[in-house]
Amino acid sequence: MSNTQDIINATEDYVKALLTGEGSGHDWWHIYRVWHNAKAIAAHEQADLFVVELAALLHDVGDHKFHNGDETVGPRMAQQWLESLKVAPENIASICLIIKELSYKGAGTSSAMSSLEGCIVQDADRLDAIGAIGIARTFAYGGHKNREMYNPEIMPELHDTFEAYKASTAPTINHFYEKLLLLKDRMHTRTAKEIAQQRHQFMESFLAQFYAEWDALR
Ligand code: ADP
Ligand code: NI
């Protein structure tokens, strides 16, 4: 395939077929939101939109969270798919590097991106992790993994390594402290920083209300 729009359309269909109905907050509509967030952010940046769109569409295909922590599955699946469409090797390399670097790896770790396109897709993915949608996804994920919703006896941990972060089975509320509330200060682009501000405040109010209801128990 040589027409860029045809490649994007075929990739949309491929990802939709793979992820429709997924129950942990990584379903097709997550990909759809990240794709659209990424396009909105890219409108303010001088980025290669073809690379941004394909990386956004393919970023959670083969995610380590669903392959026993194996981080090589995602980039490999994306590479095979893009090769089958005859996408230029330099574009495939850029897209697969973005997918490899994208994931959050724990509070005390870095998840630096080596390209502007990567920064845009990471910001777009992280916007979908915060705010009302982020809260909904987080509880969906916790339920999917059989986690407790909240346990006041288990304190959040700020993980220093990706291994420790991946091994955690803590209650879902802890994830707010281990990741979600840290994201607004880790956005790269001005567009994402602005959107993140309001979504962050909404999570703070959600938590305040949650504890107020809990503390009213007698
Ligand atoms: P990342 O690659 O940064 O992990 P994803 O798009 O794969 O981003 O989705 C991460 C989302 O999955 C989180 O924002 C959260 O909603 C959910 N999630 C991941 N780990 C946990 C966890 N331990 N507890 C609750 N939710 C989680
Ligand atoms: Ni994602």
Side-chain angles (χ1 to χ4, degrees), residues 22-27 30-31 33 60 128 136-138 140-141 144:
E22 203 278 346
S24 77
H26 293 79
D27 57 288
H30 163 61
I31 308 305
R33 293 187 301 267
D60 271 336
D128 208 54
R137 289 183 68 220
T138 300
Y141 185 93
H144 185 81

Side-chain angles (χ1 to χ4, degrees), residues 5 8 35 39 48-58 121:
Q5 195 53 52
I8 289 168
W35 178 28
K39 286 196 276 191
D48 181 337
L49 196 56
F50 182 61
V51 168
V52 168
E53 290 198 53
L54 288 176
L57 281 166
L58 291 165
V121 179

Side-chain angles (χ1 to χ4, degrees), residues 75-136:
R76 204 163 54 235
M77 282 179 71
Q79 178 168 349
Q80 282 165 1
W81 168 251
L82 295 168
E83 279 172 0
S84 78
L85 297 182
K86 310 240 179 312
V87 171
E90 62 272 24
N91 285 337
I92 298 184
S94 313
I95 293 161
C96 292
L97 181 62
I98 292 174
I99 297 171
K100 183 164 177 271
E101 293 178 334
L102 193 73
S103 258
Y104 184 77
K105 299 175 185 68
T109 70
S110 140
S111 37
M113 300 303 287
S114 37
S115 67
L116 171 61
E117 289 74 15
C119 290
I120 292 171
V121 179
Q122 191 178 61
D123 279 3
D125 192 29
R126 290 180 168 184
L127 283 177
D128 208 54
I130 61 177
I133 290 174
I135 294 170

